[in-house]
Amino acid sequence: MQKKYILIPLFSIFTFISCPGAGGGGGGAAFALLGLGGGGTDVGAPKLEVTYSGVVRESGASIDLGTEPINTTNGKLATLTIQNKGTTSLTLPGSPIVNMTESELNQFQLTQPNQTTLAPNASVTFSLRFKPTSPGLKTAVVKLSTSDPALSAFQLTFTGTGGATAVRLALSQGATEIVSNGSYSMGSVEEQSSGTPIHFTISNTGSLSSTLGTPVVESSNAQFTVSAVSVANGSTLAQDGTFTFNVTFSPANTTPTSKSATITVNATPSNFIFTVNGTATVKPVPTIAISHNSSSYTSGGTLPTFGAVWPGNSASQKQVTITNNGTATLTGLAVNEFGTNTDQFTTSSVGSSTLTPGQSTTFTVNFAPTATGAKTAIARVTSTNGNNGSASSADINLEGTGKSGADVLIAWTAAKEKAPNDTDGGYKVCYSKTTGFDPASVNGSTIFCDNVPYTGGTTPTSKTVTVNSAGTWYFKVYAFGKYKTTGGAPSTQVSAVVP
């Protein structure tokens, strides 16, 4: 008998898994898992998602649009977003794309999407505008067909109530709508400055005219000023009418830094009220500081005296420093002299009339008397903005004395004779700026003599004399008596340098 052999190719893999037997430890049963080749992959699909007011809406949900006055021009707008959250294109095959049925005709207006195919993550919008023409509850059902295998038909129900005819004021700033009792930020403005005027628009979106008040717009805070109101007090704002006005934030100070005001639009039957907010920032200002030898003269004062100076000579000059301790540039800096003896003092100009923050400059004052006696003057330091942004002025008093004499103490050894220590006796101290002078030539202008008379006891042997100029002075002393009034021979000449 002829035998046939059939070869069957096996590509499968057998895996044996042993499991414990039931009961008390019997043999385990063996299961064979047969692998039948490669595994499958996920199939891509579109996925529909519809949102309204940022919230995902499920099919079958209801959305209440609230109450809307009848016969308004624009009504209330509801915008919905259709997005494909899947991995393949989503199609919207309906014709029209979105179908709407109403409980009462012409109460809702539907604007269709402008696309029928959405790539993954792409989106499109459609809108429903509620414009009731009669009072009462109104209903609209919107439906759309989709290629989403899990949601081929989607449906939402919208409700709204038609209200009585009414005024309705709406406020906007540019594209931003501000609700009644809402707020608007004016940003930050430097104190004692004015920000950019912010332009607001009021619209009457209702179905009745409104009579505006007097004033039309007002602010509760003088730091927020209303201007450029485009309608007159007491005028009428018709349905769909608009007017504009500006609000400017001008903070007076930074106490406190946060400012606010209530802005009221006066109208019938009710006002529109909102709040504006702003932040006041510190205004950079210069601050002058004046000093000499670490002492402050910012508010004025008296410099240490120049002392006594011989006419024709000069004292050591004094330097005054001016510093800008503020945060803005100090300008218009100057120093000028005023007072009784301005010709006896010399004040320099300041090194710079403008100081940036932290910068310093100096000026000097000197005293050079031309005559004897007390001398005074005032150095006035001024700036256009050194007093924290305002003009500043400080008077610095200057004092010095024109020197009329200098004291020199002369002492000598007592004479041996008796005459100086007796009635009508004594000593003469003579002095001159001429070396080798003769005391007998005393004249009161170049040669001077002072008496030291006997007054009882022992005549003094010292004398303080006052010379009338600086330089080297020469001194001689001689004794005289009752019977020799011209005196004896003078002493040896001595000298002293008078500063």
Side-chain angles (χ1 to χ4, degrees), residues 242-254:
T242 64
F243 73 87
T244 59
F245 62 93
N246 293 341
V247 177
T248 304
F249 179 35
S250 305
N253 50 51
T254 55

Side-chain angles (χ1 to χ4, degrees), residues 289-490:
I290 307 171
S291 63
H292 168 70
N293 288 350
S294 300
S295 295
S296 174
Y297 292 87
T298 303
S299 300
T302 302
L303 285 182
T305 180
F306 285 91
V309 178
W310 293 109
N313 290 349
S314 295
S316 297
Q317 69 180 15
K318 298 181 185 294
Q319 180 172 280
V320 179
T321 300
I322 304 172
T323 303
N324 179 7
N325 286 335
T327 54
T329 300
L330 175 67
T331 60
L333 189 60
V335 58
N336 294 283
E337 277 191 16
F338 298 88
T340 306
N341 306 120
T342 56
D343 60 332
Q344 306 293 290
F345 298 87
T346 302
T347 301
S348 72
S349 59
V350 290
S352 174
S353 62
T354 300
L355 298 178
T356 58
Q359 189 178 16
S360 296
T361 190
T362 62
F363 69 92
T364 58
V365 182
N366 205 348
F367 176 50
T370 59
T372 61
K375 313 295 180 184
T376 61
I378 295 171
R380 180 169 295 166
V381 181
T382 57
S383 74
T384 57
N385 59 355
N387 184 18
N388 296 321
S390 301
S392 68
S393 179
D395 285 353
I396 301 175
N397 298 315
L398 311 176
E399 295 179 348
T401 301
K403 196 171 184 178
S404 59
D407 291 340
V408 180
L409 175 63
I410 306 298
W412 59 90
T413 303
K416 296 180 179 180
E417 59 267 25
K418 180 181 178 182
N421 297 301
D422 201 354
T423 302
D424 297 330
Y427 298 96
K428 283 188 180 290
V429 179
C430 297
Y431 47 97
S432 175
K433 297 187 78 172
T434 302
T435 184
F437 72 95
D438 181 2
S441 300
V442 58
N443 54 23
S445 58
T446 59
I447 301 174
F448 308 87
C449 289
D450 291 353
N451 283 333
V452 184
Y454 168 78
T455 57
T458 301
T459 302
T461 57
S462 65
K463 171 70 174 177
T464 298
V465 299
T466 301
V467 298
N468 60 11
S469 64
T472 301
W473 285 83
Y474 302 94
F475 302 88
K476 296 178 181 180
V477 180
Y478 67 89
F480 65 91
K482 181 177 181 178
Y483 300 107
K484 191 175 182 180
T485 56
T486 57

Side-chain angles (χ1 to χ4, degrees), residues 186 194 219 221-227 246-250 261 263:
M186 304 286 287
S194 293
S219 169
N221 187 337
Q223 296 178 86
F224 295 84
T225 56
V226 175
S227 64
N246 293 341
V247 177
T248 304
F249 179 35
S250 305
I263 306 298

